[in-house]
Amino acid sequence: MSSGRTSYAQRQAQRAWRLLHVDAGEAFRLLQRAWARAQKDQDAGGLAWTQLVRGYHQLYFATPAEAQAELARAQERLALLGDRPGELLAITGHARALWRQGRASAALAELLPLRDEGLGLLRNEQRGVLLNAIAGCYSAQGNSETAFAYMYQALRDAGPKRGNGYDIALYCNLSHELIELGDHDEALRQAERGLERIESIRNGRLHTVLLVNRAICLTELGRASEALDDARRIADAVVDPSGGGLVPMHFEIMAHAALRAGDLPLADRLLAAASHELPEERLEIQLARALALRLRGRPREGLAALQEVSELLDAEGDDRAPLRLRCQHALVRAELHEAAGEAEPALLALREWQRLQAERAQRASSARYQAAMLQTELLQLQQRLEEHDARRQAAERARRELAEAHEKLTRKMAEVEALQEQLRAQATQDALTGLANRRHLNEMLPAVLALAQREQSPLAVVIIDLDHFKRVNDEHGHPAGDQLLAAFGTLLRSHLRKSDLAFRYGGEEFCLLMPHTRAMDARHKTEALLADWKAQVFQLEGGEQLTEQSFSAGATDSLTSPGSPSGLLRAADQLLLLAKRGRRGLVLTPGTC
C-alpha cells in the first residue's frame, strides 16, 4: 500500500486493511497485535497505519465519532511521514465519518478537491474507497443519480478479483441507491450478488446491511414474507466488537417488512429496540408505527402518528428527504385514509405516491446517463495520469545507475531460475518416492517411443502394481503404506540403468521405460527386482514387521505391441491385470500369457 521498506507492525496493519471486508474479526486481532508491537518498537509508520486501519474498522463497527477521532490522529502521523496515499485514505475515512454524522456537505468539501490526486495515487480497492465515499456524500444529500454513477465506477476499480472483498460493500451500496431510485428488481439482484460473495468471508456489518437491503426490495416487490427469517436473525444478533457476526441494526426497516408480512409481534419487538439516532431512522420508525396502527384497525390513530412523519419530512425538505421514505409516507397515508373511509384524501395521497414513483423512474434514467458520463471523464483522467506517470518513471529510470540496474537484474534472474527449477521439479516429480510422476511419463513416452521407432530398436514398457497394498493400509495404517512406497522407489532406482526411466504411475502402480530392451529381457530384470522386493523386511512403528511383499507386473515392447504410447501402456496394463487375476507375484509378457 505504500512504497519502500515497511516495519512488522505496518505490514500487519496493511494485512488487516486487506482483511477488513474479508474477515473483520481477524483484521481486528491483527490490529491489536500491530498496535502493541508498534508501541514497543516506537514505530511511527506502524502506529500511523494501525490507527488508519483501526479508524476504518471503527467506521464499520463502532461510532462515527470514534472513527473520526482515530482517523484525524492517523492523518497527522501519515502527513509527518510523508505518506501521501495513506494520508488520502485517512482524509477519505474522516470525510466518511462526517457524512455518517449528517454532515455530508462538509464531507464532500473535503473529498472533491482530492479526487483527481487520489485517483492518480491510489489503486484498486483504495480508489474504490475514495469513489464510494464521494458517492456516500451525494447519497446523503439525496442526489442518488450522482451517487449511483460514482458507485459503478468504484465497482469497476475494486471488482471481485482485486478488491479484497470491497466489492461486497459496493454491491451493498449499489442496491441501496437502486432502492432509492425505485429499481427494486435490479437492487435485489445487486444485493443477492453481494450475499453470494459474502458466503466466503466474515464481515457481519456488510452481511447485515445486505440482508436489510434485500428485505426492503422484497417488501417493495410484495414478497415481504420472504424477509421474515432475515428479520429474526438480525433481531437476535448481539454486538460483536470484532465484526464477525451479524449486527443488531436497522430494526426499523425490518419492522416495516414484518408489518407488510403481517407479523405484528415481530414488528413490535423490532420497533421497541430500534435506534432513534438519525432522522431517517426516526422517519422509518414513525411510518412503521402508523402502519401497525392500521393493521390493528386504528387508522385514525395511525394518521395522527403519521403527522410527525410529515413534520420530519418538511424539516428535511423535498430535495433532501429520501425518495423511498417519501413514497412510503404517501402510500401509508393513502392506506390509512382508505381504512378510515376517507376516499378523497386517500386518492390525493395515492396520486402523490404515483408522482413520486414517476420521479424515481426519471432519476433512475438520469443516473444511468450520469454513470456513463462520469466513466468517460474518469477514463480520460486515468489516461492523463498514466501518461504523466510513464514520463516520470522514464526520467527516474534514466537517472538510475547502470551498476544498480545490473545487480537487480542479476538477482532477479537468479530468483526466477531457482523458482523455475523448483516448479519444474514439483511439476514432474513424485514427492513420496522421488520418482518422476505420471505427468512426466505422458510427456516423455511419445519422445522415447519416437526415438526407438526411428532407430528401429525395441522399447520395453513395464507396469508394476504392489500386491495387497490396500490390506497394508487397512491393517497397519497409511504411514506404513507410505513407508512401502518410498522403499520401493529407492529399490527401483537401484535397479535402473542410466538409460532406463521409472515413474510412479499412480497409487501403488509404477511404470518403467527401458530403451533397446525386448519384453523378455525386461521381464528378467523385473523378476530380479521382484526377488529383491520379496527379501525386504520393514520395521513398522509399534514393533511390527512386514515381510515377503510382492508385486505383479506386465511387460511388453514396441516391436511386440506396436502402436501409439497409449497402446503400449494399455498392452502392459492388460498383462498386469492377467498377473493379478492369477496368483500374483508374477511378471507376464505377451509370450507368457
Side-chain angles (χ1 to χ4, degrees), residues 70-198:
E70 189 81 341
L71 289 162
R73 290 190 290 268
Q75 181 184 340
E76 291 176 7
R77 289 182 185 273
L78 290 161
L80 290 173
L81 292 168
D83 186 343
R84 186 58 177 167
E87 187 182 357
L88 288 172
L89 287 174
I91 295 170
T92 300
H94 184 269
R96 183 182 175 92
L98 286 177
W99 71 252
R100 285 275 307 280
Q101 296 174 83
R103 300 172 59 192
S105 297
L108 202 56
E110 282 191 11
L111 289 173
L112 285 181
L114 303 176
R115 189 196 71 170
D116 291 0
E117 181 189 8
L119 294 179
L121 290 176
L122 304 177
R123 293 291 180 270
N124 300 334
E125 87 283 353
Q126 299 178 13
R127 293 179 60 164
V129 167
L130 172 61
L131 291 169
N132 188 48
I134 295 173
C137 294
Y138 280 118
S139 175
Q141 291 180 334
N143 188 346
S144 291
E145 298 95 323
T146 307
F148 180 82
Y150 272 100
M151 283 176 191
Y152 262 119
Q153 183 59 33
L155 186 59
R156 186 175 180 276
D157 283 308
K161 292 184 179 179
R162 56 188 179 180
N164 292 321
Y166 194 66
D167 60 301
I168 301 174
L170 295 171
Y171 288 133
C172 179
N173 292 345
L174 273 171
S175 66
H176 171 80
E177 289 309 316
L178 287 162
I179 287 167
E180 289 301 315
L181 295 169
D183 192 346
H184 297 109
D185 288 307
E186 179 62 16
L188 182 59
R189 191 174 76 86
Q190 295 292 344
E192 294 287 5
R193 288 178 69 182
L195 287 167
E196 287 172 9
R197 285 274 291 124
I198 211 164

Side-chain angles (χ1 to χ4, degrees), residues 468-482 508:
H468 306 298
F469 185 75
K470 184 176 183 300
R471 184 189 301 168
V472 173
N473 276 335
D474 291 343
E475 294 179 1
H476 303 284
H478 287 279
D482 290 347
E508 66 271 24

